[in-house]
Amino acid sequence: KGNSQPMGIHKAIDCDGQELWFEWTNAPWYDVDENIVGAIIQLSNITDAVKNELELNKKELFLQQQAEITKIGRWEYNIVENKLFWCETTKAIHEVPRDFTPNIETALFYYKEGHSRNTISMALFEAQNKGKTWSNLKLQIVTASGKEKWVMAGGKPIYNKGEMVGLIGTFQDIHEQVEAHTKTIDNEKLLRTLIDNLPVNVYIKDTESRKVLINKAECEYLGVNDPKEIIGKNDFDLYPLEATRKSRAEDLKVMNTLKPVIGKETKKTTLDGKVTSFLSSKIPLLNSKGIAYGIVGISLDITRLK
């Protein structure tokens, strides 16, 4: 009919069972009198190109899934064209629409004014002018909705024939981790303040009866100003041998049976001969599997009462 066919792609299987891909076009074949006498069919083997495209799509899908799981986004900056690309995860972290088109100038203003913006601006300047890489910068951004968020930023220059043509990098949402870490630190400070101001001696020992934590009252009892002077030492370093053997046996019994000792009246003698009467408690310290990895000790000085 004289109509050329549009380009098409066809899959075939060769005699060895291998998958092949061909690109084809059809066109009318005319004689000298402009009569159609047949068709010209052109075929090109594009198997390698198709496989490369499939592999690229797989890698792109893998990177996208990885980004969604780890909350790590990607970005690219083309210096020649002055164009900035954000992947979907990076856009989600900034809380901008999927069709949002970023640019290098406005991107910097998402960083919180002050330390964060100054730090990323300097990193970008040194990357472009000195070829320096930056990584693991913990910074704050203000998202499009006005929410402050902690992120981890990294970037490096890319070159073509020795000439810098752009920058690529990662952008990770670490807000939940930072918040959890901050809360943990606050809880530790609260716990430390509590045990340091209790009118009782508090300590934690490991499975070898070495002190890993002591409060101020325990420091005063042992005659030291800094807990570091005691941390890592066991009862054999701090008390007479016979008393230490009994204490060690009791520690082991508490950790093996998981039964605490509560309010037991004891006498302790330090190496310098100081004798003190205590109401002592030892409680097994358990891990997530219910196995003791130490003990918590609490001792109330009742010497004056005695």
Side-chain angles (χ1 to χ4, degrees):
K1 295 182 179 180
N3 298 321
S4 298
Q5 295 299 302
M7 184 179 295
I9 296 178
H10 177 71
K11 182 177 77 169
I13 304 296
D14 68 8
C15 57
D16 295 323
Q18 300 295 316
E19 186 177 87
L20 300 176
W21 288 88
F22 294 94
E23 189 175 70
W24 54 265
T25 54
N26 288 346
W29 177 16
Y30 297 93
D31 64 13
V32 292
D33 297 321
E34 297 297 323
N35 296 314
I36 296 176
V37 294
I40 299 172
I41 304 172
Q42 181 174 336
L43 264 138
S44 298
N45 189 332
I46 60 168
T47 303
D48 289 343
V50 170
K51 287 183 177 179
N52 289 339
E53 184 178 358
L54 289 173
E55 190 65 29
L56 187 62
N57 289 338
K58 286 180 182 178
K59 289 181 178 179
E60 186 67 29
L61 181 61
F62 173 74
L63 287 173
Q64 184 178 340
Q65 290 176 335
Q66 190 178 46
E68 291 173 357
I69 294 170
T70 62
K71 295 184 179 180
I72 300 177
R74 296 176 291 113
W75 59 268
E76 298 177 20
Y77 175 50
N78 187 318
I79 293 177
V80 179
E81 299 179 4
N82 191 29
K83 288 185 178 179
L84 179 64
F85 162 79
W86 284 354
C87 73
E88 288 188 7
T89 301
T90 301
K91 290 181 180 180
I93 295 172
H94 284 86
E95 297 183 346
V96 296
R98 287 189 174 185
D99 59 356
F100 177 78
T101 303
N103 62 68
I104 198 67
E105 290 80 15
T106 57
L108 293 175
F109 287 96
Y110 280 99
Y111 287 88
K112 188 175 180 180
E113 189 174 2
H115 169 74
S116 293
R117 191 179 298 175
N118 293 342
T119 300
I120 196 64
S121 297
M122 182 58 68
L124 189 62
F125 172 81
E126 291 189 338
Q128 289 183 270
N129 292 275
K130 300 179 182 179
K132 286 188 175 182
T133 296
W134 76 89
S135 62
N136 299 330
L137 291 181
K138 190 167 71 172
L139 306 170
Q140 281 183 293
I141 64 169
V142 180
T143 68
S145 67
K147 183 193 300 181
E148 290 189 5
K149 188 180 290 187
W150 284 97
V151 298
M152 186 80 78
K156 62 183 294 185
I158 52 176
Y159 297 87
N160 183 21
K161 297 179 181 179
E163 181 180 354
M164 188 185 299
V165 294
L167 303 169
I168 59 173
T170 56
F171 194 78
Q172 183 180 9
D173 182 351
I174 59 169
H175 190 74
E176 291 181 2
Q177 296 95 306
V178 172
E179 288 288 297
H181 181 63
T182 302
K183 188 174 182 179
T184 299
I185 292 175
D186 289 342
N187 288 340
E188 287 177 354
K189 288 181 178 178
L190 177 62
L191 180 60
R192 186 80 233 186
T193 301
L194 176 64
I195 67 170
D196 276 340
N197 288 279
L198 286 173
V200 293
N201 295 24
V202 179
Y203 59 83
I204 294 177
K205 296 180 187 178
D206 63 13
T207 54
E208 299 298 322
S209 292
R210 293 175 296 216
K211 298 280 179 70
V212 295
L213 180 146
I214 60 174
N215 71 344
K216 285 184 178 180
E218 183 75 355
C219 281
E220 291 172 3
Y221 168 68
L222 294 171
V224 298
N225 295 318
D226 190 343
K228 292 179 181 178
E229 297 179 47
I230 301 299
I231 300 302
K233 292 183 178 181
N234 60 27
D235 288 351
F236 291 95
D237 300 318
L238 303 172
Y239 304 107
L241 182 60
E242 189 59 35
T244 300
R245 286 174 176 168
K246 291 180 180 179
S247 177
R248 173 63 176 161
E250 189 173 65
D251 291 351
L252 291 173
K253 184 178 180 181
V254 169
M255 288 186 283
N256 291 330
T257 64
L258 304 184
K259 293 181 180 180
V261 173
I262 304 296
K264 179 181 178 181
E265 187 175 324
T266 61
K267 281 188 177 182
K268 286 186 180 180
T269 304
T270 58
L271 291 176
D272 60 5
K274 177 183 174 183
V275 180
T276 308
S277 295
F278 286 104
L279 279 181
S280 298
S281 298
K282 293 182 179 180
I283 304 161
L285 197 57
L286 307 180
N287 62 19
S288 58
K289 296 180 180 179
I291 300 172
Y293 64 96
I295 63 168
V296 178
I298 303 171
S299 299
L300 174 64
D301 187 343
I302 59 170
T303 306
R304 289 185 180 179
L305 293 176
K306 293 295 288 184

